[in-house]
Amino acid sequence: MMQFTETPPPTFHQISPFTSLLSMNKNQIHRTRPWPGFPTSKSALGSLGDANCMEQLLVHCANAIESNDATLAQQILWVLNNIAPPDGDSNQRLTCGFLRALIARAAKSGSCKMLTAVANANANANANLAIDTHKFSIIELASFVDLTPWHRFGFTAANAAILEAVEGCSVIHMVDLSLTHCMQIPTLIDAIASRLEGPPLIKLTVAGATEDVPPMLDLSYEELGTKLVNFARSRNVSMEFRVIPSSSSDGFSSLIEQLRIPQHLVKSNNATEALVINCHMMLHYIPEETLCSFENPPTSSYRTMFLNSLRDLDPTIVVLVDEDADFTSNDLACRLRSAFNYLWIPYDTVDTFLPRESKQRQWYETDICWKVENVIGHEGVQRVERLEPKSRWVQRMRNACFRGISYSEEAVSEVKSMLDEHAAGWGLKREEDDLVLTWKGHNVVFATAWVPT
C-alpha cells in the first residue's frame, strides 16, 4: 500500500526546468530533489502550461502512483495543481480534470492527507473532489444536447438511415439504447409524421439502464414514456412505450431475453413490421475483453455475445453511433494519453460559444470530468468508460454477421445542414460506408448502419 507522508511542497526558489525533467530518468530525478519548484510569473509558466508538457506531467504522475513512489507523485500533483486551475484555458481545465482523477486514484492507495493539502493549495481549485453531476429536466437536457453536434450528428445520421430502412412498413419496433434518454425520438417522430404513405405505429422499447451515467434525468422512464407518447399523439402518430430494466454490465441480457419471443411472433404474424436497433453511445459500457480476461474466460466477451444476440433477432437495421477513441488499455499511462488526446476536444469546443459563467458549460464539463475520473480513477467492473475506435466496432459487427450499408447523399446533406448551425470547426468526412464527425480535422464521433448478411 502506498503511504503518503507529510513531505512539504517545494519552495519557489527550488527550480528545476520541465525540459530538464523530461530528459531525466527516474534516478536522476531522485538525485536532484527537492523537485519541482517553479517560477511564479505567467511568462515563466508558459512552457509548463503547454498541452504537451501537461500531458507529460500527468503521465509521470500516473507512473509514480502505479510504482508507489508517493513522494514523486505528491510533488508532481502539487505542480499540476498550480498550473492547471479549473477556470483556466481549455488545456488547463482538461488537465485539472485529470489531476482530480489522479488524486482520487492515489487516495485509494494510502493516506491522502498530503493529497488533500495539495488539492486545496489553490483556494479556487479542487476544494471538493466529489463530482456533483447535474440531473436534467427534459427541457434542460434537450437544450444540453443541442449545444454541439456531439449527439445531434448521431441523431441526424441515424434517423436518416432508419427512415430509409423502414419505408413502407406499417409498424416500427424501435429498440433505443441511447445515452441521451430518447432525445433522438421526437425528431424521428416529426419525420415519420410527414411520411407520404401515412405514419406507422411506433413501438418504442427502452433499456432502463440501472447505472448512473451522465447525463442524468430527473424523471423516471415511465414519466418520460408518457411525455413521448403524448408528443407522438400531437403529431398524429400512434406510439406504444415499454421500458425494460436492463444493465450494460451483463450485455443487456434481460433486454435481449424480452425481445426474443415477441419478435418471433412478429415475424410470423406481421410481415410489415420493422425491427430497428438504435445504439447511441451506449454499447461502450458493455464489458469488453480486457475486463473479461480477468472476470471471465476470454471467450465470454459480453460485447461479442450482445452483437450475436442482435443478429439472432434478424433486425431490419442496426445503427451504431459512438465516440471514436480507445479507452480499453489496461496500462494506465497508455489509457491516460489516449483520453487526454481525445477529451481536449469537448473542452476546446465550449470555448467557442459558452461564457465561463454559463451553467450549461459547468454541466458540460462536469460530465467530462466524470468520464475522466472513471477512465483514470477506476479499474475492473467499476471502470465502465471503455470506448473502442470505429475500426474495432466495424470488425465486431462483421464478425457477428452484419454488413455495413452506405448513407445516402440525402442523409449526408441533412448532416451537413445540421453542422452549418454550429461552429466552423466542425466537419464531416466519409470513410467507406460510414460517416465521421470531426473537430478541427480530428475524429470525434462515428455513425454506422448495418443489416444482417
Side-chain angles (χ1 to χ4, degrees):
M1 176 180 292
M2 187 184 342
Q3 295 296 325
F4 287 89
T5 59
E6 295 288 348
T7 305
T11 58
F12 287 128
H13 68 274
Q14 295 167 336
I15 299 172
S16 178
F18 180 64
T19 52
S20 300
L21 166 68
L22 293 183
S23 63
M24 295 177 180
N25 59 36
K26 183 178 176 182
N27 292 332
Q28 287 175 313
I29 292 173
H30 279 282
R31 285 199 299 270
T32 59
R33 284 179 179 164
W35 177 88
F38 57 90
T40 57
S41 69
K42 290 185 178 180
S43 60
L45 280 173
S47 62
L48 281 175
D50 175 79
N52 291 330
C53 296
M54 288 181 174
E55 179 187 353
Q56 291 296 330
L57 278 172
L58 289 167
V59 170
H60 280 299
C61 186
N63 287 333
I65 291 172
E66 292 304 277
S67 61
N68 294 324
D69 191 338
T71 303
L72 181 58
Q74 289 170 184
Q75 291 175 331
I76 302 176
L77 286 169
W78 189 81
V79 174
L80 286 167
N81 189 70
N82 281 274
I83 65 174
D87 58 350
D89 62 27
S90 59
N91 288 328
Q92 290 172 320
R93 301 197 309 278
L94 170 66
T95 302
C96 180
F98 278 84
L99 165 65
R100 295 168 64 107
L102 286 171
I103 291 174
R105 186 181 185 95
K108 298 174 185 177
S109 305
S111 171
C112 61
K113 291 181 180 178
M114 180 59 190
L115 294 176
T116 302
V118 168
N120 293 328
N122 183 337
N124 295 321
N126 305 301
N128 181 7
L129 288 175
I131 296 177
D132 185 19
T133 52
H134 178 71
K135 284 199 171 184
F136 292 87
S137 69
I138 283 286
I139 300 300
E140 286 175 340
L141 184 57
S143 176
F144 180 76
V145 238
D146 280 346
L147 286 176
T148 75
W150 204 281
H151 293 292
R152 289 192 72 199
F153 161 77
F155 294 173
T156 307
N159 284 348
I162 290 168
L163 287 170
E164 290 178 13
V166 302
E167 189 174 351
C169 295
S170 58
V171 181
I172 300 172
H173 182 190
M174 183 162 173
V175 180
D176 192 39
L177 291 167
S178 172
L179 184 67
T180 57
H181 310 286
C182 301
M183 288 296 102
Q184 176 181 337
I185 304 303
T187 311
L188 183 65
I189 292 172
D190 269 335
I192 284 176
S194 59
R195 208 168 67 161
L196 291 177
E197 65 269 33
L201 165 66
I202 298 178
K203 297 179 179 179
L204 181 62
T205 298
V206 174
T210 56
E211 298 87 352
D212 286 330
V213 174
M216 289 183 256
L217 208 52
D218 69 349
L219 76 167
S220 69
Y221 273 99
E222 287 74 14
E223 294 171 305
L224 175 62
T226 299
K227 291 180 180 296
L228 286 170
V229 168
N230 289 337
F231 176 81
R233 186 179 297 119
S234 73
R235 300 297 191 271
N236 296 317
V237 176
S238 299
M239 172 182 276
E240 299 173 0
F241 181 89
R242 175 174 62 154
V243 58
I244 299 175
S246 195
S247 171
S248 59
S249 62
D250 63 358
F252 299 106
S253 59
S254 56
L255 171 70
I256 295 294
E257 286 304 312
Q258 288 291 318
L259 290 174
R260 277 184 177 136
I261 295 176
Q263 187 57 28
H264 173 73
L265 295 176
V266 163
K267 289 294 180 183
S268 60
N269 296 333
N270 190 343
T272 64
E273 176 161 336
L275 174 63
V276 174
I277 311 292
N278 185 62
C279 306
H280 183 89
M281 299 190 187
M282 190 68 101
L283 297 197
H284 70 257
Y285 293 106
I286 299 175
E288 39 74 51
E289 288 80 358
T290 61
L291 176 61
C292 294
S293 61
F294 293 102
E295 307 292 333
N296 300 295
T299 55
S300 62
S301 165
Y302 280 123
R303 293 188 185 184
T304 299
M305 294 167 60
F306 173 79
L307 295 179
N308 288 337
S309 297
L310 287 190
R311 178 61 185 84
D312 291 342
L313 294 173
D314 195 22
T316 306
I317 187 172
V318 176
V319 181
L320 171 55
V321 174
D322 218 319
E323 297 163 309
D324 199 3
D326 188 355
F327 294 173
T328 60
S329 175
N330 281 326
D331 178 75
L332 176 62
C334 180
R335 201 163 67 238
L336 187 152
R337 287 186 186 278
S338 181
F340 190 87
N341 284 286
Y342 177 72
L343 292 174
W344 69 270
I345 296 172
Y347 279 95
D348 193 47
T349 61
V350 296
D351 278 349
T352 63
F353 64 93
L354 285 179
R356 295 194 175 192
E357 64 276 7
S358 164
K359 278 190 175 182
Q360 287 183 318
R361 175 161 160 172
Q362 179 186 339
W363 297 338
Y364 193 82
E365 295 191 355
T366 297
D367 282 4
I368 305 167
C369 282
W370 184 94
K371 185 187 288 280
V372 171
E373 181 167 321
N374 190 263
V375 171
I376 302 302
H378 297 277
E379 294 294 349
V381 294
Q382 293 171 330
R383 178 161 64 85
V384 297
E385 283 287 346
R386 293 173 175 267
L387 289 172
E388 287 188 305
K390 179 175 77 75
S391 57
R392 206 174 297 164
W393 279 112
V394 166
Q395 192 56 54
R396 286 186 183 279
M397 293 299 288
R398 289 172 179 167
N399 291 345
C401 297
F402 287 97
R403 66 173 177 85
I405 56 175
S406 297
Y407 286 89
S408 67
E409 290 303 322
E410 184 178 353
V412 173
S413 178
E414 287 184 34
V415 173
K416 287 180 178 178
S417 296
M418 180 274 298
L419 292 180
D420 288 341
E421 301 172 17
H422 295 278
W426 295 103
L428 173 69
K429 67 180 180 181
R430 302 187 74 162
E431 293 183 351
E432 297 181 345
D433 295 328
D434 314 321
L435 300 183
V436 180
L437 174 71
T438 64
W439 172 253
K440 297 180 178 178
H442 299 268
N443 286 16
V444 181
V445 177
F446 64 87
T448 62
W450 304 85
V451 294
T453 53

